[in-house]
Amino acid sequence: MSDSPAPAQSPGTSRSTSATIPPNILRCLTPVADGYGVDLRPELRRVGLDGTMMRSAALRVSYRQGSAVIRRALELTGDAHLGLRVGAAQHLTSWGLLGFAQMAAETLREAIETGVRFQNLSGAMVVWSAGQEEAGYVLRAALPDPALDPAVAIFLAEEAFASVVALTRLSSGEEFAPQSVEFAFPAPRDSGPFTELFRCPVRFDAVGNRLVFPTAWAGRPMPGRDQVAYAAVVELLGEQAASRRDQQDLLEVLEISIAQSLPDVPSFVEQARRHASSERTLRRRLAECGTTYEAVVDGVRRERVEQLLPRPGLTLRDIARQAGFSDVRALRRAVHRWHGVPPARLRGETANGKGVPVSTM
């Protein structure tokens, strides 16, 4: 989480193609889906994530991968409020070192602000912020993209606040209840699961997603507080965050470079030269990001195709050329690999108002 606004997207590309998010939500989603008799392993494999990868602490996924699996889980379980179940099922250990730092914090408020500060290490798929307001100590969860699929957006908002409440009860006391909770999405037909979980007034169709902490709880000492342990872990988190920023910056620069060069694609040798780096060093840095140059190129091309397909004045040949494919056959193979359908069918679905499916990189 970060207490500053998310950086604006750079023109010509979207960082949703970059694999930079720890897959904590997907790891928690899988056993919850199992409880519905739904095996998500085929869906994970469909976006390129096998069992071995999911057990790797170094694994990072993209927003597109995460959103695609979440959407399918919602469809397969039939639970429109699956986010509540996934959030409520979490433990502080799911957040790794960040969870330990929060347990060692002096007060609940410090634990929250630590989570906000290091949100990019937690696997968060919302943008967190927190601060004292007239209503009390308020935690906000904003969506990273206003155009996010509505069902996925609801899932992420539900999961965000359900996990905060669940983890606060585990670390500070089962009797915890927020002062109030507000969601930006419309009221569901049955709000019972919300009042049952949060044990407080819940409002829908609000301006934003807000959770208000009672003042007494915000300043409450954490049972596991330890200043020495907290300082040591925060130092480690700072080092990880700096490394993560370097990785995100590298991926964003490469994406922008490729997007601005299309239909031509800069060679790997050229990219290394532009970064005043050796090919070996650049390849190693990309491996640390969990990706390859070919995968970054594929993601940018995919995004360009998905931008162009809904435009009725463009032929498939036009789209293939603008996205840097050698011919229409290469475009068809790529679209089928990405979406499992030919480009003509995908274009038809967008014309019918269904939209281009979320990428499953």
Side-chain angles (χ1 to χ4, degrees):
M1 308 179 189
S2 169
D3 49 5
S4 59
Q9 288 185 350
S10 302
T13 188
S14 164
R15 292 174 65 174
S16 63
T17 61
S18 299
T20 58
I21 310 165
N24 296 344
I25 291 178
L26 299 187
R27 288 186 176 124
C28 295
L29 174 60
T30 301
V32 173
D34 284 343
Y36 287 82
V38 171
D39 183 0
L40 285 182
R41 287 176 297 180
E43 303 307 320
L44 291 168
R45 286 195 295 270
R46 186 167 173 261
V47 300
L49 302 171
D50 59 27
T52 301
M53 294 173 68
M54 288 297 291
R55 290 189 293 272
S56 170
L59 177 65
R60 298 294 180 266
V61 299
S62 68
Y63 271 99
R64 291 179 178 240
Q65 286 174 305
S67 296
V69 175
I70 289 169
R71 177 188 286 108
R72 285 296 291 153
L74 289 166
E75 293 170 354
L76 294 171
T77 63
D79 186 349
H81 299 294
L82 189 63
L84 291 179
R85 329 289 182 215
V86 174
Q90 293 185 34
H91 298 273
L92 277 167
T93 50
S94 303
W95 293 12
L97 280 178
L98 177 56
F100 185 81
Q102 291 178 294
M103 288 189 286
E106 187 67 23
T107 64
L108 179 58
R109 177 170 181 157
E110 185 175 59
I112 295 166
E113 291 175 349
T114 302
V116 169
R117 178 182 172 189
F118 294 109
Q119 65 181 281
N120 289 338
L121 301 177
S122 71
M125 292 181 68
V126 296
V127 180
W128 292 101
S129 61
Q132 189 67 40
E133 300 183 15
E134 186 176 349
Y137 189 70
V138 177
L139 182 63
R140 294 179 176 270
L143 296 174
D145 182 355
L148 198 65
D149 177 280
V152 176
I154 290 173
F155 174 97
L156 293 179
E158 291 179 352
E159 185 278 334
F161 284 161
S163 64
V164 167
V165 169
L167 298 180
T168 300
R169 287 173 181 162
L170 286 171
S171 63
S172 300
E174 175 58 32
E175 69 277 18
F176 169 75
Q179 183 172 305
S180 63
V181 175
E182 298 176 1
F183 289 106
F185 55 81
R189 281 177 292 183
D190 179 13
S191 62
F194 292 85
T195 53
E196 180 181 352
L197 174 63
F198 294 114
R199 306 175 198 163
C200 71
V202 180
R203 178 186 165 204
F204 300 93
D205 273 320
V207 175
N209 302 308
R210 298 197 324 161
L211 186 150
V212 182
F213 284 84
T215 302
W217 273 92
R220 186 165 175 159
M222 294 291 286
R225 60 190 180 280
D226 186 313
Q227 292 184 349
V228 175
Y230 176 79
V233 177
V234 165
E235 183 177 351
L236 290 174
L237 290 171
E239 294 172 357
Q240 288 186 7
S243 175
R244 182 69 54 78
R245 281 192 296 271
D246 289 344
Q247 292 178 1
Q248 290 175 332
D249 289 346
L250 171 64
L251 291 172
E252 183 175 19
V253 166
L254 286 175
E255 287 176 348
I256 292 171
S257 173
I258 295 164
Q260 292 178 341
S261 299
L262 287 177
D264 297 321
V265 176
S267 69
F268 187 75
V269 173
E270 174 63 15
Q271 292 287 19
R273 187 191 64 78
R274 291 181 184 182
H275 288 82
S277 168
S278 69
E279 294 175 54
R280 181 177 180 180
T281 298
L282 181 56
R283 191 171 288 107
R284 174 182 56 77
R285 291 183 65 194
L286 285 170
E288 290 171 353
C289 297
T291 190
T292 63
Y293 183 60
E294 292 73 20
V296 176
V297 171
D298 193 57
V300 175
R301 276 179 166 161
R302 176 175 186 164
E303 184 174 12
R304 181 62 57 85
V305 169
E306 291 173 355
Q307 290 170 343
L308 297 175
L309 266 177
R311 301 181 186 179
L314 295 176
T315 66
L316 290 183
R317 181 172 297 176
D318 294 331
I319 295 171
R321 183 172 58 251
Q322 292 186 38
F325 289 99
S326 58
D327 52 34
V328 173
R329 286 183 300 175
L331 171 65
R332 288 197 178 103
R333 287 195 297 269
V335 171
H336 197 277
R337 173 166 52 85
W338 296 330
H339 294 287
V341 297
R345 178 176 168 185
L346 196 62
R347 168 172 269 182
E349 291 177 351
T350 63
N352 291 330
K354 296 181 179 180
V356 175
V358 171
S359 300
T360 52
M361 292 178 60

